[in-house]
Every structure is written in C-alpha cells, then in structure tokens.
Amino acid sequence: MAVIDSGAAVGGEARKSPLQALTLAALALPGLLLPAQAEAENDEAAFEYSYYQEGFRNQYQFGNQAQPIRVDSLNGSSTIRLADRIKLGFDYIQDTWSGATPITTVPAGMMIEGLSGASAHVNTGSNALVDANFNPLQEGYDSNGNLVYRSSAADKQMMHMLTSASPETRKQGNVRLGYVWDEAELNLNGGVSSERDYDSSFIGANGRWDLNQKLTSLNAGLSYTDSSVYAQKMVSAQGYIDYGAVGAQSGTAVMGDREDWSGSLGVTQVLNKHALLSANLGFTRSSGYLSNPYKASTFVFKDPNQAHTVYPDDVYVAEIISALENRPAERNQFNLDLKYVQYVQPLDAALHLDYRFFQDDWAIAAHTFSAAWEQPLGGGWTVTPKVRYYTQDAADFYQPVYYFNQAKPATANGGIDFSRLPVSHFSSDHRLSGYGALSGGLLFSKTFAKGITFDAGFEYYKHGGGMKLGGGGEDSYADFDYYLVNAGFKVNLEAVSLRGNDEHAHHHHAHQHHDSVPAGVMFGHMMQQGKFMVGYRYMYGRQAGGMLQGSRTVGDSTIAANACGGETCATVPAYMNMHMHMLNIMYAPTDWLNLMVMPQFMDMNMALRPFDAASAGTDLFKHATGGVGDTGLYAMFKLFDAAEHQINTTLGVSAPTGDYRIALVPGGHNHGNNASAGSAGYIHYGMQLGSGTWDFLPSLTYTGSRDAWSWGAQVGGTVRMQDANSAGYALGDMMQSSVWGGYQLLDWLSATLRGVYTVQGTIRGGFNAAHPTDAPVDHASNYGGRYWDVGFGLNATVPGGDLAGNHFAFEWLQPVSDDHNGYQLERESALFASWGLAF
C-alpha cells in the first residue's frame, strides 16, 4: 500500500483522496469486497484462473466413494473509459465442476455398500430393525447360541450418502456502466448466469457520495435477481426418493422460480492519513423455490403400536424413506459488515481487519472474523497472509435425519402424505447445520514497471462442527476440507498507453500490414527487442446437422449398423459445441527471437439422440466438460525481413496439462448430464480437454504488404511425440495450411479473406479402461479427416487515446467441404476473436 501523498498530481491526473487510496488498498485483497462492487480505478484488463478441490469425506466402514468436488474457474474482466467521466466494465465468469457431494444423511446401519466401486447409499424403500430410540439393530447370537438384537457404535454412526455428478459448466456475463462526478459516483450493472439446470438474470445500481473533503463517503446499492430452476431428478435416486413435497414438476424434472431483492447502506470514514473504517448494512429478501433440487432428507417411520410375533417387543420394524428437501418459500437476511484498514508506516504495510454479522429468519446467526497483512517486499513484490474464522447456528428446520414415531402416512399411490407430517419444512443439507470453519492463505503479487501485475494465491479451509463458537455444532461426520489455488494477471491499460502512445504513432504506418493477419492465424508477426505483449484468444466451433460418412450424408440405419465397430449403435450425435479461451504472454529478448507461453481453458458440450428421436420425442443425452487445456510453449525466429516481405518460423511444444481421462458418472444425479443410455467410463475422445501427450507444433509463416494491400501464407502442424497417453490412445497428427489477403479499409480497420485446408489423422489406439461403445463418438476410427474452409475477418487497432495500440480481430470460418474418417457430424461454423496489446 502506497503512502498517502498530499502533494501535487502526477502525470496530469487529479490526485487520489485519502479515502480512495485506503479503499484501493482494501480492495487489493482477495475476499475483502465492499458490498457494492467497485469499479477499477484505472482502465484495465484482468484474467484469473482458480482451482478448487475438496478432500475425501469420512465414509467409515464403507470404503468406496467417488472423487470429491473439484471446480475449475476462469474470470476475465475489463474496464475502459468511454469519456472523461464515463466508464464501461465487462466481466466473464466460467465455472466447471464435477465430483461427489452429499445429498442426505443417515446412520451407517441404514446404508448398504455401493456396487462396482460406487459410494454407499441409503437402503431406502426397505425396512430396518430399530430399538425404541431408533438405533439400528442387527441380528446376532450370544455365547449360548441365542438369537439377539444388538446396536453397535458403528451402526449408529451418522454419515453422508454421496452422489456424483459428471462435469457441468456455468457461464456468467456482467456489464457495468459508471458515471463519476467531483463528489459522487453512480454505477448501473446487469448480467445473466446460465447453466444446464439454473438460469438467472440480474440488474442493480449503486452509488457513492463523498463528504467532508472526501474523508467521508456514503454508499448505497440496490439489486434484483430473477432465477429459474429446471433440474433433472436424480437418476440414481428415482424410485426411492419421494418428490411429493415439490410443487412444480415435469416428468423427470423439478421446476421452480425465485426472486431476490437486495439493498445496502454504508459509510466509509478516513480516521487519519493512515487509517480507514467502514460499516455497511445489507438486507436481502428471497422468495419462491429456495430449496436445493439435489438435496434430500431421510425419514424413518416407526409405528409404536405395531403388532408382530416375529421379533421381541423392544424390536421395531421401521420404514426408511427419502424425500427431496423442502425449505421455506421466503427468507429475509440481514448483515452488518465492519472493516478497518491501518497503514503501518515503519513497515510500509497495511493491516486489514473485518467482521461480519449475519442473521436470517431461518434462525441462522453467523459471525465472520478475518484479518490480512499486506506487506510490500521491494522490487514490485507484495505478500499477503490472511486468516478467516466463520461460525453459524443451525436453521430451525435442519435435522440430519427425521425420526417419526408413527406409521408412514401414505397417499393412494404409496407416496408420503406430507400434510400429515409434524414438520412442514425439512432439510439435511449440512450447510444449514451449526458449524465453524477456519481458513488461511497466502497471496503473492508482482507488479512490473510496464503496467502488468501477476498474482498467485493459495488458501486452505477446514469445516467442522466442533469448531462452532459456543459448541453445539454438527457431529464430525460432516467435517471436510478443501484447498483453493489461483493465478492471474492485470494489465493497466492507461499505464501502458502513457508509455506507448508516441511510439505507437511513430510505427503504426510502417507496421500496418501486421493488423491484417486474420484472427485465426497465430504467429503472424514478430515484436522488436525488449517488447512485451499480452493477449487473449477465443475460439468457438460447432458441429451439427447431418451425419457424414466421408463426405456423404448417411441415415440412421446405416449408422446403427456400421458406425460402432461391429456393435449396433444406440445413439448418434445431435450437436457438439467447443469453446476455447487462450491467454498469450509474449516477450522479445532480441529482434530475431520471440518467446511465448499460451495456457488454455476449454469447455465443450454435446448431445446424443436415440435413433428416430424426432418422431418419438425422446430427450437428448447431454454431456459437458470444462477446465484447463494443454499449455503451449513457443519460440518464434525471424528468417527474413524486408520492406514488403517477412518470413518467420515457430517451434513449439504442447504440454499435456489438460485432463484426458474425464469419465461419465452412471447413476449419479449429474445435474442434467445423463450418461449415454446409462453407460459409464471415459467420456468421448472429442470431449477430453487435452491430448495427454507431449506434442511438437512447428509452423512457417510468410507475410507481405504494399500500400493498402496485404497477404500471407502459413503452414503448420501438430506431431504427437508419444505413441499413446496413459489412457491408451494418441490423437491424430495434424497439418494445416492457410493463404490470405487483406485490405486496409481505414487507417485503423482492415478486412481479410482466408482459405484453409486441414488434414487430421485418426486416433491411434483406444481407451484402455471402461468407456461407452454405443455411439459413433465412442470409437477412435470416427475421428479426423480432410477439410476445406473459407474465413472472413475484420481487424481493428485503436489509433489514439487512452486505449491506443489495443488490437482486436474477428474471423468467421465457414466450412466448404468435409471428408471425414468414418462417421461424424457435419461441421457447421467456427468463430475466432482476439485481443492483443504490445508495449
């Protein structure tokens, strides 16, 4: 945190007030957010990747369980100045998660071991022997050989039933528009969030009013969110989970709508030039479907008046039933946030102390205490250790298991008559229980003089009922932990622009042909010695329409008989979408050598249809994957550079950082991602995130220009340097050649036309473990081919102002000819978009 300077403004900008400087220091820390989202102080672009991984939960005597929850997240944001007082901001957030999570709780004596490596599950729909206190009983014999009924500690041990989900991706986009006055600021924001089973849209406004020579600030905010749920019923649970308490249903899905209104009022006060204090009051009212459609509660019914002659009088036959949870349809939430920031001048450091109190009308009261120490180390480095403690009371309707001293109140069709239960709301979600949590972490930050900041952080979290303040938390069966790692960078566009405006203006004419390289072409030009470049590249590709054998359209009967390696196919692809996000970090140590690193983030989704699904109205079998892809490392060499002609070559390798062993989850709730016809094992080759092999990626590129015209050609390829990955296969080698031409429409805008020819080899080998075989995409022979495409593009470079030098490019690639290996979906279209900034 910089010392608050009361001197003159630097670089022609108005100096920051003490309030602004201290607030920015507070916002620099992850997890310490003001209630109203703050705009970036400068024009900037930022990217962050994070990885969340839960630990295994205690399953006691049941050893088999699936992998815990993991989440890959990508966050990109940008704030730009539209005018002197107007700023526009964008955010894109993408989360892909998979793994096992608890859906209900029950004593171990009421669980049965899962089959084929699956987790143990509730023996729902059957009867259990219990004593008068609902303890599970097991038959045994005493030393004299007499039949007895015992309740062991192991059988009474509470435990979670886990169910697994195949990968699912959530995408969210936000936009913000702000206006700044001398003593005030107003921001409007809105956005949408979408995933397979949950969609929401939201709008909001927040403002700030400065008083007392900007030493005091009042802030207020208001937001509205409208959400809808369309969740597939849990596949593994159908038949023994009762959905009768849920209102709206449609066949295999649970439907619901909810609304959330939120408001906040706060004040921030600079106490002196080294300290700041803020307080904020917030209120949220939620209404509608507030339950979790993937959480259930287990009911145990014991009729105290039952009559039987089989068991002793103190042994009862109880019926075990699970029901989808039913939370109240309204929730009012209040929170108080207090923050204190103290600059410690002798150490040039900042101490952040935070407290939050939360209470709702579900009887949950929670306290959060957190502290962080922001310590500059010199050379642009900063380290920030932080610690956080959280504690909450349980919701008044929460219970791990619901015991009823009565016979099951049955409906005419054998379900539960919920109107005759002594409870109207119920949930066994451990997040509504009483518990405490302790977390700690480290954040490292490095700021470079060229306006770039790199961040990397790690956090470890421990959740435990025994950690609840004052005691009385949930038992240890619900304890778990997780770790979170993140890395990212920010580019201060204003700092880069101030450094590069003059140089950019000087070189713009000489290098305008560089702006005419199509967005889908990489390694189109080289940078000068000492230059950096940061960039982002996006690619979207879609396959849909008819199925082709080679270049010939074929029908369902031909596919069923021939496309599945001697077996009869049961399903056929309906569509597939692929999204790739790539970061480009580039440095030129010399004029003839550029070095690059390009990490990728992938997400894909596919639907398979049963044959004749259109006439039968059968639902599609849908899959999704997402996460980190393979990482490219490249060196680009200048071979020739004249006034109108340039030639360079690139040698690269692709590191196998992407997951290539992603599996479908049979029988899990899948959050709507049903396994193909119930099949299990590795998901299709084309839905894996990486190759699993080290790959060699060479290319040779020529570019030329004269007056307003430009042209170029490139040939490149991918050579798999291993015969197979550890899953038993290797993707096919690939060769691609491009020829293009461009014309400068304006000084800052050009158009391109490109022809592309691609040859992709078939997959070598095949999965060495279980995988579906009932669709063409499950077979290695149905990959690769020969393809012709034509691309149409626009390139733009900002010629002046604060964003001078920012380069944007777009290209639409239209397939002209497909000649597939085996049986594959027709390619429909592809889109490339890129942003780059050199300085």
Side-chain angles (χ1 to χ4, degrees):
M1 175 180 140
V3 176
I4 301 170
D5 186 4
S6 59
V10 179
E13 294 185 348
R15 70 175 184 266
K16 298 179 179 64
S17 69
L19 173 60
Q20 290 174 307
L22 280 167
T23 302
L24 288 173
L27 291 175
L29 298 180
L32 302 181
L33 300 179
L34 292 177
Q37 182 173 356
E39 296 279 353
E41 184 70 14
N42 298 308
D43 291 356
E44 69 175 32
F47 300 90
E48 183 181 51
Y49 166 76
S50 64
Y51 177 80
Y52 168 97
Q53 177 67 70
E54 285 189 6
F56 283 94
R57 296 170 187 260
N58 195 338
Q59 291 286 276
Y60 302 95
Q61 67 262 42
F62 299 98
N64 294 328
Q65 62 170 294
Q67 290 294 317
I69 287 290
R70 56 168 286 182
V71 183
D72 293 273
S73 298
L74 179 69
N75 188 348
S77 62
S78 179
T79 301
I80 57 176
R81 191 192 309 271
L82 297 181
D84 182 46
R85 294 181 178 270
I86 301 176
K87 282 196 173 185
L88 181 66
F90 304 93
D91 298 282
Y92 175 77
I93 303 167
Q94 179 174 309
D95 305 316
T96 300
W97 67 272
S98 62
T101 186
I103 64 168
T104 192
T105 310
V106 74
M110 298 180 183
M111 299 278 282
I112 59 175
E113 186 72 70
L115 301 177
S116 303
S119 299
H121 58 87
V122 181
N123 196 14
T124 311
S126 65
N127 295 329
L129 298 180
V130 300
D131 63 17
N133 297 317
F134 291 92
N135 295 311
L137 299 174
Q138 303 293 336
E139 290 184 345
Y141 294 91
D142 63 17
S143 58
N144 297 319
N146 298 317
L147 180 64
V148 294
Y149 297 87
R150 299 189 179 98
S151 179
S152 68
D155 286 339
K156 289 187 288 187
Q157 173 62 58
M158 300 295 293
M159 62 178 292
H160 286 312
M161 171 187 165
L162 303 177
T163 189
S164 296
S166 294
E168 179 184 356
T169 297
R170 179 187 72 94
K171 298 180 180 181
Q172 179 175 319
N174 308 336
V175 62
R176 310 180 306 275
L177 184 64
Y179 189 90
V180 181
W181 292 270
D182 291 340
E183 307 292 341
E185 180 177 1
L186 177 64
N187 295 291
L188 304 177
N189 60 80
V192 295
S193 176
S194 179
E195 50 193 297
R196 188 176 305 278
D197 50 12
Y198 193 86
D199 292 299
S200 66
S201 57
F202 46 93
I203 57 173
N206 60 77
R208 189 196 75 242
W209 183 24
D210 296 328
L211 305 169
N212 189 25
Q213 297 181 327
K214 296 191 175 183
L215 296 178
T216 304
S217 178
L218 304 178
N219 59 77
L222 181 66
S223 66
Y224 170 75
T225 302
D226 180 71
S227 308
S228 61
V229 174
Y230 189 87
Q232 295 293 322
K233 294 180 179 178
M234 291 176 271
V235 176
S236 63
Q238 290 191 47
Y240 68 88
I241 284 190
D242 194 309
Y243 286 84
V246 180
Q249 300 182 53
S250 174
T252 61
V254 174
M255 300 180 296
D257 297 312
R258 66 177 287 173
E259 293 183 323
D260 297 89
W261 286 93
S262 296
S264 64
L265 290 171
V267 59
T268 303
Q269 177 65 50
V270 173
L271 304 177
N272 54 57
K273 70 176 184 177
H274 292 155
L276 174 150
L277 179 66
S278 69
N280 191 87
L281 285 171
F283 172 74
T284 299
R285 177 174 173 79
S286 303
S287 60
Y289 183 66
L290 306 184
S291 299
N292 185 322
Y294 303 113
K295 300 294 183 182
S297 295
T298 298
F299 298 161
V300 181
F301 294 98
K302 180 197 70 176
D303 184 356
N305 300 316
Q306 62 185 257
H308 57 73
T309 59
V310 178
Y311 305 107
D313 291 340
D314 57 352
V315 176
Y316 298 86
V317 178
E319 188 171 358
I320 308 170
I321 303 292
S322 289
L324 198 67
E325 72 165 23
N326 184 32
R327 304 183 187 185
E330 292 184 358
R331 188 182 191 186
N332 296 299
Q333 305 163 70
F334 303 85
N335 63 273
L336 168 66
D337 291 271
L338 300 175
K339 302 177 185 292
Y340 177 74
V341 182
Q342 175 67 55
Y343 174 60
V344 184
Q345 188 170 14
L347 299 175
D348 190 28
L351 172 66
H352 299 253
L353 299 174
D354 296 76
Y355 168 75
R356 167 178 256 218
F357 173 74
F358 169 91
Q359 189 168 32
D360 66 9
D361 52 6
W362 290 0
I364 295 178
H367 304 268
T368 306
F369 306 89
S370 60
W373 181 271
E374 186 181 5
Q375 180 64 63
L377 301 177
W381 284 95
T382 301
V383 61
T384 306
K386 59 179 181 177
V387 64
R388 176 179 176 269
Y389 172 72
Y390 175 85
T391 180
Q392 75 168 42
D393 299 325
D396 53 11
F397 54 87
Y398 165 83
Q399 287 187 42
V401 183
Y402 290 80
Y403 298 108
F404 299 103
N405 207 31
Q406 66 180 79
K408 185 189 83 171
T411 61
N413 60 7
I416 301 173
D417 184 349
F418 291 93
S419 67
R420 294 163 57 193
L421 291 180
V423 295
S424 55
H425 301 111
F426 42 87
S427 175
S428 300
D429 188 342
H430 66 282
R431 293 170 297 185
L432 297 178
S433 69
Y435 68 89
L438 183 64
S439 64
L442 280 174
L443 173 70
F444 294 93
S445 178
K446 167 65 175 176
T447 300
F448 294 87
K450 291 182 177 291
I452 296 182
T453 300
F454 286 91
D455 297 310
F458 173 84
E459 182 177 4
Y460 176 77
Y461 170 98
K462 179 66 177 178
H463 169 118
M467 300 167 63
K468 178 181 178 296
L469 189 66
E474 191 54 272
D475 289 342
S476 60
Y477 72 88
D479 294 355
F480 72 96
D481 60 4
Y482 71 72
Y483 69 85
L484 175 70
V485 294
N486 64 281
F489 71 89
K490 296 189 292 289
V491 181
N492 186 327
L493 301 177
E494 293 184 11
V496 171
S497 176
L498 289 171
R499 249 183 300 276
N501 273 346
D502 294 340
E503 184 176 355
H504 174 76
H506 178 73
H507 290 288
H508 177 67
H509 179 75
H511 293 275
Q512 66 180 5
H513 60 276
H514 292 163
D515 299 340
S516 295
V517 177
V521 175
M522 297 169 58
F523 318 122
H525 66 275
M526 297 193 67
M527 297 190 306
Q528 297 175 346
Q529 180 177 357
K531 288 285 189 179
F532 279 91
M533 189 190 82
V534 293
Y536 163 77
R537 181 179 297 270
Y538 168 76
M539 177 186 174
Y540 166 74
R542 179 174 173 84
Q543 291 179 261
M547 287 288 291
L548 303 181
Q549 180 190 17
S551 56
R552 180 175 61 92
T553 302
V554 292
D556 285 357
S557 59
T558 302
I559 298 168
N562 302 292
C564 290
E567 302 180 23
T568 299
C569 296
T571 58
V572 65
Y575 63 80
M576 178 178 174
N577 298 309
M578 185 277 291
H579 304 266
M580 181 202 73
H581 306 268
M582 176 188 288
L583 297 182
N584 183 2
I585 302 172
M586 187 173 180
Y587 173 63
T590 71
D591 284 340
W592 55 269
L593 173 64
N594 289 181
L595 302 176
M596 291 159 283
V597 58
M598 296 183 181
Q600 298 181 69
F601 195 94
M602 309 285 296
D603 79 270
M604 292 169 280
N605 61 83
M606 170 180 276
L608 301 174
R609 62 171 176 85
F611 291 113
D612 298 323
S615 59
T618 307
D619 289 339
L620 299 176
F621 302 119
K622 299 178 181 180
H623 316 294
T625 59
V628 174
D630 290 344
T631 300
L633 306 169
Y634 303 91
M636 185 162 56
F637 302 89
K638 181 187 297 183
L639 301 181
F640 180 80
D641 188 7
E644 296 180 349
H645 308 280
Q646 299 79 35
I647 301 175
N648 67 69
T649 186
T650 302
L651 303 177
V653 295
S654 176
T657 53
D659 195 346
Y660 57 94
R661 294 177 294 185
I662 300 174
L664 293 167
V665 177
H669 62 72
N670 290 319
H671 281 212
N673 299 326
N674 300 315
S676 172
S679 300
Y682 287 138
I683 201 169
H684 329 300
Y685 298 96
M687 295 283 285
Q688 302 292 339
L689 301 178
S691 68
T693 57
W694 284 88
D695 305 327
F696 176 52
L697 291 81
S699 67
L700 181 68
T701 307
Y702 161 74
T703 58
S705 65
R706 175 176 294 179
D707 298 326
W709 294 94
S710 62
W711 55 87
Q714 184 182 82
V715 60
T718 302
V719 180
R720 314 296 172 183
M721 296 190 291
Q722 297 171 261
D723 292 334
N725 55 37
S726 63
Y729 69 94
L731 300 179
D733 296 339
M734 186 183 73
M735 187 278 291
Q736 184 176 88
S737 57
S738 294
V739 178
W740 68 87
Y743 184 77
Q744 202 77 23
L745 301 174
L746 300 169
D747 185 53
W748 56 273
L749 180 67
S750 64
T752 62
L753 177 66
R754 179 166 70 116
V756 189
Y757 177 66
T758 306
V759 178
Q760 174 87 49
T762 192
I763 293 174
R764 303 194 298 268
F767 285 127
N768 55 16
H771 65 96
T773 59
D774 57 0
V777 289
D778 299 322
H779 298 270
S781 59
N782 297 321
Y783 286 85
R786 293 144 297 280
Y787 312 104
W788 284 96
D789 303 275
V790 61
F792 307 89
L794 288 173
N795 295 18
T797 300
V798 180
D802 292 334
L803 300 180
N806 282 267
H807 180 70
F808 303 89
F810 306 89
E811 185 182 30
W812 179 266
L813 210 62
Q814 183 64 43
V816 175
S817 174
D818 288 355
D819 183 11
H820 292 299
N821 296 333
Y823 296 81
Q824 299 181 49
L825 262 179
E826 184 178 7
R827 297 178 309 132
E828 190 170 85
S829 58
L831 172 67
F832 295 91
S834 66
W835 163 79
L837 178 63
F839 48 92

